[in-house]
Amino acid sequence: MTVNQPTTDQSAEAPAVTGEHADLLRTLAEHRRFLRFTTRDLTDEQAGLRTTKSALCLGGLIKHVTSMERTWVRFILEGPSAMPDFTEMTEEDFARREAEFQMQPGETLAGVLEAYAEVARHTEEVVAGLPDLNASWPLPKAPWFEGRPEWSARRVLLHILAETAQHAGHADIIRESLDGAKTMG
């Protein structure tokens, strides 16, 4: 099944907010659009193909960004309890995490994109309702978070934005390797 995706989508429209909230949401929506655009006119099979030496595929990248955004928005609302204690993750936990970067049997590109759109809508609602972007929580236990620093809602949103942009770049390389199509240029 080929998914024909318009060049713009509903999730690119941020809620009616102003100031810094609006700037963050607009920029995040733009990078989401770049990521989604890399999947235009692809079949489910193509969305699951590895086209480089990397284990990444387009559908898996979108699944990962969806999961990452969902988890970090939960962190904004709930704090470190929204995430696992990364220091106690098992091999099974890491295998589940790795599967997040792949299209699994029965998954469709349309389903992956819809899940991403739902997460985007939820993020936009949460951010629009945040009275203070300075509200912060200590980060969960993880070897890469030395000293358990705190991150504000602003810092979390910047992290989501950076990961989305980074993975949009990955997706562009994967798509160009697949059939020569580019997101930009």
Side-chain angles (χ1 to χ4, degrees):
M1 174 178 138
T2 299
V3 176
N4 290 314
Q5 190 177 329
T7 57
T8 60
D9 60 63
Q10 265 69 16
S11 69
E13 300 300 322
V17 295
T18 59
E20 186 178 13
H21 290 68
D23 290 342
L24 289 167
L25 288 176
R26 245 188 313 278
T27 304
L28 181 55
E30 181 178 329
H31 288 286
R32 282 191 198 113
R33 185 177 55 81
F34 289 144
L35 179 56
R36 291 174 63 94
F37 189 67
T38 61
T39 66
R40 69 196 177 283
D41 302 323
L42 292 181
T43 65
D44 295 336
E45 179 184 3
Q46 289 171 312
L49 290 176
R50 293 174 46 196
T51 63
T52 65
K53 286 196 175 262
S54 166
L56 302 174
C57 67
L58 292 170
L61 275 175
I62 293 173
K63 284 175 54 183
H64 167 68
V65 172
T66 300
S67 175
M68 173 275 306
E69 185 172 322
R70 180 185 300 117
T71 301
W72 279 109
V73 170
R74 281 187 55 220
F75 175 84
I76 289 172
L77 297 171
E78 302 170 20
S81 66
M83 295 182 171
D85 177 342
F86 293 100
T87 63
E88 294 185 3
M89 287 182 66
T90 65
E91 285 186 35
E92 186 177 288
D93 294 328
F94 282 109
R96 259 194 309 278
R97 186 173 164 89
E98 190 174 314
E100 179 180 280
F101 286 91
Q102 304 160 359
M103 293 285 286
Q104 299 299 314
E107 290 182 327
T108 65
L109 179 56
V112 167
L113 290 169
E114 180 53 35
Y116 190 36
E118 287 174 27
V119 166
R121 283 189 292 273
H122 178 68
T123 298
E124 291 162 358
E125 290 171 7
V126 168
V127 173
L130 287 175
D132 183 7
L133 292 173
N134 291 317
S136 63
W137 296 96
L139 290 169
K141 284 186 182 180
W144 49 87
F145 295 139
E146 291 183 26
R148 297 223 30 212
E150 290 191 354
W151 275 12
S152 66
R154 176 184 297 102
R155 176 66 181 90
V156 170
L157 291 169
L158 289 170
H159 178 73
I160 292 169
L161 205 158
E163 274 223 25
T164 303
Q166 179 180 7
H167 289 311
H170 290 145
D172 201 31
I173 292 166
I174 292 168
R175 178 62 191 258
E176 189 172 1
S177 297
L178 177 66
D179 62 5
K182 299 178 189 175
T183 303
M184 297 172 58

